[in-house]
Amino acid sequence: MGKLTVGALRAVLVVVLAGTVFVQALMVWALAADPEDGSLPLTPLRVITILGMVSAQVALVCVWRLVTMVRRGTVFSHAAFRYVDVVIGAIVAAALVWFAVTIVNAPGQRDDPGVTVIMGGVGVAILGVALLVLVLRMLLAQAVARDVEAAQMQAELDEVI
């Protein structure tokens, strides 16, 4: 992975992390200062937003660590699984948070239930992303196994020579 790619990805990660922290700060401020006007259940939505941002932040930090491992050439190790597993967990948590938003929003959509169905579909799509990362984790496991096997074969070859 080139320096430009790593730098660009890290810049994106920093911007997204800063954005999520900003949104969290606004939600905490709104919880303390802005009373609900009765049109929507704002307090649950604000709390859910804060939790959703936490799941995104956890995933961002793990992706940062994985990019660091890629840059160092150590990503094909068992240590990478910890970060990939946490990313999968964060994506599942984000899906659950999205389903919570859907549930909180559903009573206001009685006249147009299609919005709730679409929101449920988005939650299923988020779970699909978690499954995709799980498949990528399996590919990483195969690569790590092959790397270990290659190292063992190289050691045997070195003994013979």
Side-chain angles (χ1 to χ4, degrees):
M1 195 180 239
K3 287 184 180 183
L4 181 63
T5 306
V6 170
L9 180 56
R10 286 186 172 167
V12 169
L13 292 173
V14 166
V15 168
V16 173
L17 186 61
T20 59
V21 169
F22 180 71
V23 169
Q24 279 179 320
L26 287 177
M27 291 297 116
V28 169
W29 177 79
L31 279 171
D34 189 23
E36 293 187 20
D37 64 359
S39 62
L40 276 174
L42 294 178
T43 299
L45 287 174
R46 290 172 180 158
V47 171
I48 291 169
T49 300
I50 292 168
L51 294 174
M53 295 296 113
V54 168
S55 68
Q57 291 163 347
V58 167
L60 291 169
V61 169
C62 289
V63 169
W64 183 283
R65 294 294 302 149
L66 287 167
V67 168
T68 301
M69 292 178 81
V70 167
R71 189 74 185 125
R72 290 182 186 156
T74 60
V75 75
F76 294 116
S77 67
H78 293 286
F81 291 113
R82 172 180 51 215
Y83 298 114
V84 175
D85 290 340
V86 173
V87 168
I88 292 169
I91 295 170
V92 170
L96 295 176
V97 166
W98 184 258
F99 286 129
V101 168
T102 303
I103 290 168
V104 169
N105 190 47
Q109 300 297 327
R110 287 195 178 120
D111 294 335
D112 188 12
V115 172
T116 303
V117 172
I118 291 169
M119 289 178 72
V122 169
V124 171
I126 295 170
L127 286 175
V129 172
L131 290 172
L132 177 64
V133 175
L134 181 62
V135 168
L136 293 174
R137 183 195 185 283
M138 291 179 207
L139 292 173
L140 177 64
Q142 288 179 351
V144 168
R146 294 269 158 58
D147 195 44
V148 168
E149 183 181 334
Q152 289 172 345
M153 293 174 105
Q154 183 65 42
E156 290 174 7
L157 185 60
D158 289 343
E159 286 178 14
V160 171
I161 295 176

